[in-house]
Amino acid sequence: MGNAQSGFPGGPPGDKDKKKEKKKWEPPVPTTIGRKKNKRGPSGAAKLPKVHPTIRCNLKLLKLDRIHDYLLMEEEFVQNQQLLKPQEEKTQEERTRVDELRGTPMSVGTLEE
């Protein structure tokens, strides 16, 4: 009976040392052709992309602004109507008083006859 049986993993104790000594793959050294470019500013990962509104966004913004303006106009109109309402009631009361003083045309006609 031996130390290691055939067909089982593990094998002799010297195999583990050989696996550790194996070199890991390293990428080859890049060849330099021509001038070397200088890297300026922050790295590409640190840069944020510039965001510009697209045409669709601008149109949507203009549409929302127009709707907002219409709502402001409506609110202003309603406020003006509420201010004018008491004046209309006063004029209506004055008209009813004048009509009472004048009388109806039928009653005026009967008085003249």
Side-chain angles (χ1 to χ4, degrees):
M1 302 242 170
N3 288 344
Q5 296 177 357
S6 63
F8 286 101
D15 287 341
K16 291 181 182 177
D17 296 334
K18 288 180 183 176
K19 288 181 183 176
K20 287 182 182 177
E21 290 177 8
K22 257 188 184 178
K23 290 186 177 180
K24 292 183 178 180
W25 180 82
E26 294 179 7
V29 179
T31 57
T32 55
I33 301 174
R35 287 185 162 183
K36 186 177 180 182
K37 294 183 178 180
N38 293 333
K39 293 183 180 178
R40 296 181 184 172
S43 65
K47 285 184 183 178
L48 292 175
K50 292 185 178 181
V51 178
H52 299 288
T54 60
I55 293 173
R56 184 177 291 169
C57 293
N58 284 335
L59 290 175
K60 195 170 192 176
L61 178 66
L62 291 173
K63 179 181 175 185
L64 291 174
D65 285 342
R66 187 173 64 219
I67 291 171
H68 180 71
D69 289 340
Y70 278 123
L71 290 174
L72 287 175
M73 287 171 50
E74 181 183 6
E75 184 180 346
E76 187 176 331
F77 176 76
V78 169
Q79 287 176 353
N80 289 339
Q81 290 300 316
Q82 288 175 353
L83 292 174
L84 293 176
K85 194 171 187 179
Q87 291 178 356
E88 289 178 1
E89 290 175 358
K90 288 179 184 176
T91 56
Q92 184 67 25
E93 288 176 11
E94 289 176 3
R95 284 183 186 168
T96 55
R97 288 183 190 162
V98 169
D99 287 343
E100 287 174 4
L101 293 174
R102 282 187 194 165
T104 61
M106 288 300 290
S107 62
V108 172
T110 55
L111 286 176
E112 288 180 0
E113 288 178 1

